[in-house]
Amino acid sequence: MKKEIKDAFNTVHASDALKQETLSFITSKSKNHSSPRTSIRLALTCALFLFVGTLGYRIFLLPVSAISLEVNPAFEFQVNSLGQVISFQAENEEAQAIIESVSVQFSKYSDAIDTILTSDEMKPYLNDDNSVFLTVIGENENVENEMLTCLNKQYDQQEGVHCSAGNQETAQEAQELDLPYAKYTLYKELTENGISISVDDARSMTMRELRLALDPTNANQGNGLNNGSGQNGGNGNQNGNGPKQSN
Amino acid sequence: MRSEQEITKAINLYADTVRRICFVHVKNEADTQDVFQNVFLKYATYKGTFASPEHEKAWIIRVTVNECNDFLKSFFHARVVLMDVLPESVTPLTPRNEEVFHAVCSLDKKNKDCVYLYYYEGYSAKEIAEVLKQNVNTVYTNLSRAKQKLHLLLGDDEDEERD
């Protein structure tokens, strides 16, 4: 029986055609083949890149807060979650000339503000007539408080620098009218007090002029940055609640 | 994936073995071709290494048996009744060859593999147990039953070698 079974199976062979077709089949598979493990690795790698890219974007490039810096030149900075300036814009022509001369991108916001305020181009604007208004608009209260604390501490010794927190809604309104934040709040206050003023007028006026328009008796006290304050702050020459009195 | 050279060498070495195992399980040429290609595709994509040529051959045999079993369990095959005909072979079969094949094909599928490996490839029961990952006593039992049935069908004298 053994011999008969051997003889029977000896008649069975794989044909050359079958072998060749099999080789072609396997070769074609190898060209298109991406093993499941490779596909999984590739998918995981792509997912990792996407995650890192998204995370990186959220950390480095997504603005989480904004700071409005208004003197007369007015600037707006967008700040990321690391406190770095990721973009900044000039809100008026005077500011445009200044931002072209400074480099503050990815600087810490406090350093960026300092760089601008101490730049040569800014000096002509930092006189006794002008105060510096810093408005912080953060994505949440904690971020805002932290930034305000930092800025208040930085300019604690300098009169004429006013730091305050803003809100998103007002910032949106200011943006719609193309006014810097602090200027917009003064404009809004003026209109709410029945003082007729156009947006264009507000845009062209300095912060001091707007404050004077709001309250002629409460001129700003100088900015302190040039150590020349005091002329408007209580020397008696211009203070007083009523019409000017000749002394 | 293994190189084309390796794959070609394996096909040349084991094509007949694979074909013969398919012969007793699969009824038609198209299905045989599918099983045949799948076996060598698995070989081509197998990432392990073989300790020896014998190890490699045993692996090929086991994969072929498994592929045949998978095919027989497949949805299509379970629901399509095929004529009980022998697949084509390259060499024309004698009447006795056909009789032998019919006898072998009539065995249970687990016995067919044991018969082929024992009578044609010359494996011992212990070696068959290792190749098919079965208990050696199970192999002895299967071989014993297969022999009895084959004697009945083929009417041979009991002159085969015993392990």
Side-chain angles (χ1 to χ4, degrees):
Chain A
M1 185 165 69
K2 184 174 180 178
K3 185 178 179 306
E4 285 184 319
I5 292 175
K6 271 190 96 85
D7 288 342
F9 275 105
N10 271 338
T11 65
V12 180
H13 301 281
S15 66
D16 290 337
L18 179 59
K19 292 181 198 176
Q20 193 52 51
E21 281 165 17
T22 299
L23 187 61
S24 302
F25 168 75
I26 293 169
T27 308
S28 70
K29 284 281 183 186
S30 72
K31 283 177 188 164
N32 298 328
H33 181 67
S34 172
S35 75
R37 196 173 287 182
T38 305
S39 298
I40 290 169
R41 278 198 199 128
L42 197 62
L44 282 174
T45 305
C46 288
L48 186 65
F49 270 112
L50 196 64
F51 174 74
V52 169
T54 305
L55 191 65
Y57 170 77
R58 288 183 67 84
I59 291 172
F60 291 103
L61 297 177
L62 191 69
V64 299
S65 50
I67 301 176
S68 174
L69 164 61
E70 295 168 65
V71 183
N72 174 29
F75 310 83
E76 186 168 300
F77 304 87
Q78 281 75 45
V79 179
N80 65 16
S81 59
L82 298 176
Q84 297 168 325
V85 173
I86 53 174
S87 64
F88 61 105
Q89 298 85 37
E91 297 292 323
N92 52 29
E93 280 180 24
E94 295 87 346
Q96 186 63 41
I98 293 168
I99 65 169
E100 285 169 4
S101 67
V102 296
S103 173
V104 296
Q105 192 149 15
F106 293 113
S107 300
K108 194 169 175 210
Y109 61 88
S110 51
D111 292 339
I113 291 167
D114 203 56
T115 299
I116 288 180
L117 291 178
T118 56
S119 67
D120 290 337
E121 289 79 4
M122 195 63 185
K123 279 180 186 167
Y125 301 100
L126 296 172
N127 54 46
D128 297 335
D129 290 340
N130 289 331
S131 289
V132 177
F133 295 90
L134 290 166
T135 312
V136 175
I137 306 159
E139 65 171 358
N140 61 58
E141 209 172 313
N142 289 338
V143 170
E144 264 184 22
N145 289 340
E146 192 183 317
M147 292 172 78
L148 271 176
T149 304
C150 172
L151 291 173
N152 276 322
K153 192 175 170 183
Q154 181 159 315
Y155 297 107
D156 181 44
Q157 302 298 320
Q158 291 171 350
E159 289 185 22
V161 178
H162 308 278
C163 303
S164 59
N167 68 67
Q168 298 274 6
E169 194 183 324
T170 308
Q172 182 67 32
E173 290 168 6
Q175 197 175 33
E176 283 168 9
L177 293 180
D178 198 24
L179 285 174
Y181 188 98
K183 189 174 273 193
Y184 170 75
T185 56
L186 282 178
Y187 161 77
K188 192 174 172 184
E189 208 173 333
L190 283 165
T191 54
E192 283 170 358
N193 279 289
I195 297 169
S196 174
I197 180 169
S198 71
V199 173
D200 287 335
D201 285 340
R203 198 176 289 125
S204 63
M205 290 164 73
T206 65
M207 291 292 289
R208 183 172 180 272
E209 287 166 347
L210 286 168
R211 283 187 168 269
L212 281 173
L214 188 63
D215 186 358
T217 64
N218 189 20
N220 68 343
Q221 297 177 0
N223 57 16
L225 293 173
N226 286 337
N227 297 321
S229 62
Q231 288 185 1
N232 294 331
N235 60 5
N237 288 335
Q238 290 183 12
N239 283 354
N241 292 328
K244 273 193 184 174
Q245 297 176 3
S246 57
N247 295 324
Chain B
M1 199 174 250
R2 292 172 189 268
S3 67
E4 195 172 318
Q5 197 180 7
E6 278 180 292
I7 298 167
T8 305
K9 184 181 170 190
I11 290 175
N12 288 333
L13 273 175
Y14 306 117
D16 289 348
T17 301
V18 174
R19 184 69 180 80
R20 289 175 192 130
I21 296 173
C22 290
F23 196 86
V24 294
H25 288 290
V26 181
K27 295 284 193 282
N28 64 64
E29 275 304 307
D31 295 336
T32 296
Q33 187 174 18
D34 284 345
V35 173
F36 189 93
Q37 287 178 353
N38 285 344
V39 169
F40 286 104
L41 181 62
K42 284 194 172 175
Y43 174 84
T45 56
Y46 179 60
K47 288 185 169 43
T49 54
F50 299 109
S52 62
E54 292 76 24
H55 178 207
E56 189 179 56
K57 185 176 180 180
W59 186 93
I60 290 275
I61 290 171
R62 186 164 60 252
V63 169
T64 307
V65 168
N66 289 339
E67 279 293 315
C68 290
N69 289 338
D70 288 346
F71 170 78
L72 293 171
K73 286 187 287 187
S74 72
F75 179 89
F76 176 78
H77 184 269
R79 285 158 178 74
V80 174
V81 177
L82 296 173
M83 289 175 61
D84 190 14
V85 293
L86 288 174
E88 294 172 23
S89 72
V90 176
T91 311
L93 299 174
T94 65
R96 187 59 178 171
N97 293 152
E98 283 196 28
E99 209 174 327
V100 169
F101 277 129
H102 276 294
V104 173
C105 290
S106 69
L107 299 172
D108 290 340
K109 65 178 181 191
K110 54 190 174 189
N111 295 336
K112 292 179 197 178
D113 299 319
C114 290
V115 162
Y116 169 74
L117 293 173
Y118 181 77
Y119 284 109
Y120 187 83
E121 295 288 346
Y123 283 112
S124 66
K126 188 181 169 196
E127 287 168 333
I128 293 170
E130 284 171 11
V131 170
L132 300 181
K133 300 291 183 195
Q134 291 177 0
N135 185 292
V136 67
N137 290 328
T138 305
V139 173
Y140 276 122
T141 304
N142 290 341
L143 272 174
S144 173
R145 287 177 183 159
K147 285 177 197 176
Q148 285 174 15
K149 190 166 181 188
L150 286 173
H151 284 310
L152 207 62
L153 291 171
L154 297 174
D156 278 349
D157 294 334
E158 291 192 19
D159 60 354
E160 68 277 5
E161 295 172 14
R162 293 182 189 275
D163 289 338

